[in-house]
Amino acid sequence: MSIERTRNFSIIAHIDHGKTTLSDRLLETTQTISQREAQDQLLDSMDLERERGITIKSHPVTMEYKAKDGETYQLNLLDTPGHVDFSYEVSRSLAACEGALLLIDAAQGVEAQTVANVQLAMNANLTVIPVINKIDLPSADIPAVKKQLEDILAIPAEEAIEASAKMGIGVEDILDAVVDRVPAPKETEGETALRASVFDSVFDQFRGVVSYVRVVDGSVKRGTGIKMMATGKTYEVKEVGVFTPKQEKRDQLLPGDVGYLIANMKSSSEVKIGDTITESRVPAKQPLAGFKEIQPMVFSGIYPLASDDFEQLKLAMGKLQINDAAFSFQAESSAALGFGFRCGFLGLLHMEIVQERLRREFNMDVISTYPGVIYRVVKSDGEMIEVDNPSFLPETQIIQEIAEPTVKAYIMTPNDYIGELMKLVAEKRGELVNTETLDSTRVLLTCILPLNEILVDFNDKLKSMTRGYGSMDYEHGEYRVAKLVKMDMMIAGEPVDAFSTIVHVDKAQSRGRDLAVKLKEVIPQQLFTVAIQAMIGGKIIARESISAMRKNVTAKCYGGDISRKRKLLEKQKEGKKRMKSIGKVNIPQEAFIKVLKSGD
């Protein structure tokens, strides 16, 4: 099909605003899928995606639509993940489009991620078509949403299309708007060599790596020798095609086409998302703009519950990594938890999904340590090192400063909860940069927060404080120097590395006390008193004691002189003292599981 009759677009929205449902309706209206094949959330292929109602991987699909002018157009839809952890994937998918459908829930209105996604689309110079979805809901307030469109996003309200993806209302209007408003792809002037952008990849165990590509210049077909411009490696193309939404072979992919390409690649790590594919014989002079390496932001140790499962876990992680190039792991060992892996993730949702997939797809029972971030440590001799594990932090006396990563968070909340939220931001060592009134009921707060502080419970607290009406989106910021220290937990005088963390000086005492109390509950009583201590440097900042199990040694003394009883008690005391000096505390696996799973 000619490039003039091709349209590439994606759907951007806040979580749960009906993006996947609209994709299903578009496929049905264009008869890309028959009624027999139709099912809800068709583009979400993982059980996890269906269950949680989130899109984890982006799924492209090619549709053919006969417009009002009688012409047939090729519409390429790139379905994108909505969560902030995958924002790089979203930006790559948007770079492969000319337009975006901005979906807004008629009952919820504009939310934090809506604002962030619109900014991404504007930065990519896309034509934004606003769609007010779920107009059939009793709580829908269309005039208010139109006002928010103008006030918050500066998009004219008359451009908005009213629709209900669930009921199929307004779907044809949306398709006509895509044809009329989204510009056709353009080839780069003066560029004849092949240039195709990779916006995703998956691993097929029978065919190897399947790269999802958008062809910008030139064409690609079976037998073409290709070169990846970021890695410099060359391959031969075995197959090209489009998604309908299943993979459908084509003779070649032309400029403006969105499809897939299979070459002789063995693992997803060979394909970098955002990379440019060119011909190996006549390479392009310049790669397409915007490529960057994906860097893990959050680290956690993952260990098998049974130490015999180590090899099995290694195999399972290897298979997961083939499919998910953003996930990284390397072997490590812990005195407390045995052999396991130090894993890197894009964010907390990514970490949760990887762990859930290990449990479901590979039947692995795993335990993870407290998630941490990468700290930049400057030693007194000026050398800078990156530390993602508290065990590798140098001695206090040779550290000049420690810097931690921050995030710029956008929090949207009803006016009533602004005071509580400001208190929460202060509690998490954040600073409020800006407060913007959006309309008569809502406010947008812009804050700078340490990434480490929002890892575990920030979103949960935000939701419960605002009765579920608050929403948050964030982008990664710069590194900032902070007063950070390593806190060790000592049990009976022995440090336990699984509980070591890097904390802020002001929070160390309360954090140490909480952990000590938690450990006291889960460690079984011994025959001698066990001290649980939180320690920084050489200084103990919190302590709890587990009292010894005692045998009543005076039970056999009926009456008689008190000195007999005292003598027996003294003898017992001496025994306990000796036991304490040679006794070891065996911490059961359940204790680690309880403490680490309770999210600290």
Side-chain angles (χ1 to χ4, degrees):
M1 191 167 289
S2 76
I3 195 166
E4 287 80 29
R5 293 207 300 276
T6 301
R7 300 287 184 270
N8 296 323
F9 70 102
S10 69
I11 306 176
I12 53 178
H14 188 79
I15 293 169
D16 206 25
H17 279 205
K19 190 155 59 98
T20 310
T21 312
L22 180 61
S23 308
D24 294 347
R25 290 300 153 276
L26 294 175
L27 291 173
E28 285 168 22
T29 308
T30 55
Q31 293 171 351
T32 306
I33 52 163
S34 63
Q35 285 297 143
R36 192 170 58 81
E37 295 171 301
Q39 57 165 319
D40 286 345
Q41 292 171 269
L42 191 95
L43 295 183
D44 286 350
S45 49
M46 280 186 227
D47 287 348
L48 249 177
E49 293 184 305
R50 293 170 174 281
E51 226 168 80
R52 290 187 173 213
I54 54 173
T55 301
I56 295 165
K57 294 293 282 178
S58 52
H59 302 268
V61 62
T62 299
M63 304 175 280
E64 289 198 351
Y65 177 62
K66 194 166 186 181
K68 287 183 288 193
D69 59 7
E71 295 279 0
T72 301
Y73 288 83
Q74 178 177 300
L75 309 181
N76 296 320
L77 161 64
L78 285 81
D79 187 27
T80 58
H83 196 273
V84 62
D85 283 4
F86 308 106
S87 61
Y88 178 63
E89 279 192 30
V90 176
S91 72
R92 292 296 86 220
S93 297
L94 293 181
C97 302
E98 278 77 37
L101 292 177
L102 169 65
L103 214 55
I104 302 171
D105 187 318
Q108 306 273 342
V110 172
E111 297 200 48
Q113 249 171 291
T114 319
V115 178
N117 285 334
V118 168
Q119 283 173 352
L120 276 176
M122 300 283 194
N123 292 345
N125 294 323
L126 302 190
T127 302
V128 176
I129 303 171
V131 176
I132 300 173
N133 192 24
K134 306 190 188 182
I135 58 167
D136 57 312
L137 291 180
S139 55
D141 188 349
I142 299 163
V145 177
K146 285 189 170 179
K147 192 171 184 310
Q148 288 172 9
L149 262 179
E150 295 199 330
D151 296 350
I152 302 169
L153 304 174
I155 295 172
E158 59 272 12
E159 288 184 11
I161 300 165
E162 294 173 25
S164 168
K166 192 177 177 185
M167 309 302 288
I169 303 165
V171 178
E172 289 205 0
D173 296 343
I174 293 170
L175 288 164
D176 288 331
V178 169
V179 169
D180 296 341
R181 299 191 210 171
V182 175
K186 284 190 184 75
E187 287 185 80
T188 315
E189 279 182 39
E191 187 67 74
T192 51
L194 165 68
R195 289 202 303 175
S197 170
V198 180
F199 60 88
D200 205 354
S201 69
V202 292
F203 184 79
D204 183 310
Q205 58 180 350
F206 303 111
R207 304 155 89 193
V209 178
V210 181
S211 304
Y212 295 1
V213 297
R214 149 78 199 266
V215 181
V216 179
D217 302 305
S219 63
V220 59
K221 59 185 177 187
R222 186 185 169 152
T224 306
I226 56 164
K227 176 183 174 185
M228 309 298 287
M229 292 188 89
T231 58
K233 291 185 178 175
T234 55
Y235 305 95
E236 189 188 330
V237 178
K238 303 290 181 195
E239 186 186 314
V240 296
V242 295
F243 298 92
T244 62
K246 293 188 179 73
Q247 292 175 5
E248 189 181 289
K249 253 191 220 183
R250 288 278 164 98
D251 296 334
Q252 61 178 351
L253 292 178
L254 298 166
D257 284 350
V258 172
Y260 69 89
L261 175 152
I262 300 171
N264 50 338
M265 297 177 193
K266 299 289 186 288
S267 83
S268 282
S269 58
E270 293 179 56
V271 186
K272 308 281 185 196
I273 291 178
D275 196 357
T276 303
I277 292 176
T278 188
E279 228 177 305
S280 53
R281 285 179 303 126
V282 197
K285 297 177 187 69
Q286 286 292 319
L288 297 162
F291 168 70
K292 65 175 185 189
E293 287 275 358
I294 303 181
Q295 298 295 340
M297 295 301 297
V298 175
F299 285 83
S300 172
I302 292 185
Y303 294 83
L305 276 187
S307 50
D308 311 352
D309 293 343
F310 175 76
E311 286 300 324
Q312 215 175 324
L313 180 62
K314 189 176 180 180
L315 271 174
M317 284 188 171
K319 285 179 182 172
L320 261 187
Q321 194 183 33
I322 283 172
N323 238 328
D324 185 350
F327 165 61
S328 62
F329 68 95
Q330 60 184 68
E332 71 168 5
S333 66
S334 150
L337 298 168
F339 290 102
F341 299 92
R342 189 85 189 152
C343 305
F345 309 94
L346 294 175
L348 218 66
L349 178 77
H350 188 209
M351 173 175 140
E352 226 176 284
I353 285 162
V354 167
Q355 287 180 16
E356 193 61 35
R357 285 182 72 185
L358 284 171
R359 290 189 185 103
R360 285 188 187 198
E361 294 170 28
F362 303 98
N363 292 324
M364 295 301 311
D365 274 333
V366 295
I367 174 175
S368 65
T369 60
Y370 194 80
V373 296
I374 302 178
Y375 296 96
R376 287 184 182 160
V377 181
V378 178
K379 294 188 189 174
S380 35
D381 61 1
E383 185 196 349
M384 201 223 21
I385 57 166
E386 294 198 331
V387 174
D388 61 26
N389 188 338
S391 316
F392 303 142
L393 198 70
E395 293 298 317
T396 319
Q397 55 270 27
I398 62 165
I399 295 175
Q400 190 177 315
E401 61 180 35
I402 304 178
E404 61 182 347
T406 60
V407 293
K408 190 175 188 181
Y410 304 97
I411 302 168
M412 213 170 258
T413 170
N415 293 344
D416 307 352
Y417 309 113
I418 188 166
E420 287 176 57
L421 275 178
M422 285 165 96
K423 207 189 289 177
L424 175 66
V425 169
E427 189 187 301
K428 296 289 184 186
R429 299 193 287 116
E431 72 176 72
L432 194 62
V433 179
N434 189 20
T435 311
E436 195 181 326
T437 308
L438 300 175
D439 52 37
S440 56
T441 57
R442 294 192 306 170
V443 175
L444 177 69
L445 306 177
T446 308
C447 329
I448 305 284
L449 287 149
L451 176 60
N452 197 27
E453 293 285 344
I454 65 165
L455 280 184
V456 178
D457 58 356
F458 188 81
N459 214 22
D460 296 347
K461 283 187 175 173
L462 168 74
K463 288 288 179 197
S464 57
M465 267 180 186
T466 59
R467 313 285 184 272
Y469 290 112
S471 61
M472 174 183 124
D473 194 76
Y474 65 83
E475 58 189 49
H476 296 295
E478 58 190 12
Y479 270 77
R480 287 193 175 183
V481 175
K483 291 180 179 174
L484 299 164
V485 285
K486 179 186 172 189
M487 183 178 78
D488 287 309
M489 293 307 292
M490 310 277 284
I491 296 173
E494 295 281 325
V496 180
D497 59 351
F499 299 125
S500 294
T501 49
I502 295 173
V503 289
H504 193 268
V505 171
D506 300 344
K507 293 197 161 192
Q509 209 156 351
S510 61
R511 181 76 193 281
R513 203 175 297 120
D514 291 347
L515 203 46
V517 169
K518 217 167 266 182
L519 285 168
K520 187 182 176 180
E521 288 167 12
V522 296
I523 293 173
Q525 268 190 319
Q526 309 289 318
L527 290 166
F528 52 92
T529 305
V530 175
I532 300 168
Q533 297 158 316
M535 199 162 98
I536 291 174
K539 190 182 169 193
I540 291 162
I541 55 164
R543 175 189 166 121
E544 289 287 332
S545 297
I546 302 172
S547 54
M549 284 196 282
R550 294 183 76 87
K551 182 184 173 188
N552 189 358
V553 289
T554 59
K556 59 189 176 189
C557 299
Y558 298 105
D561 189 10
I562 187 72
S563 59
R564 280 183 68 202
K565 287 186 179 179
R566 200 167 284 146
K567 196 173 165 188
L568 287 167
L569 289 167
E570 284 296 324
K571 194 174 174 189
Q572 186 189 33
K573 199 174 169 184
E574 283 299 314
K576 297 265 182 217
K577 204 172 174 181
R578 186 166 166 274
M579 208 184 282
K580 194 174 181 179
S581 64
I582 60 165
K584 279 222 181 311
V585 180
N586 283 330
I587 307 168
Q589 189 81 26
E590 300 82 66
F592 286 105
I593 296 167
K594 275 182 192 166
V595 172
L596 295 170
K597 277 197 176 171
S598 62
D600 210 328

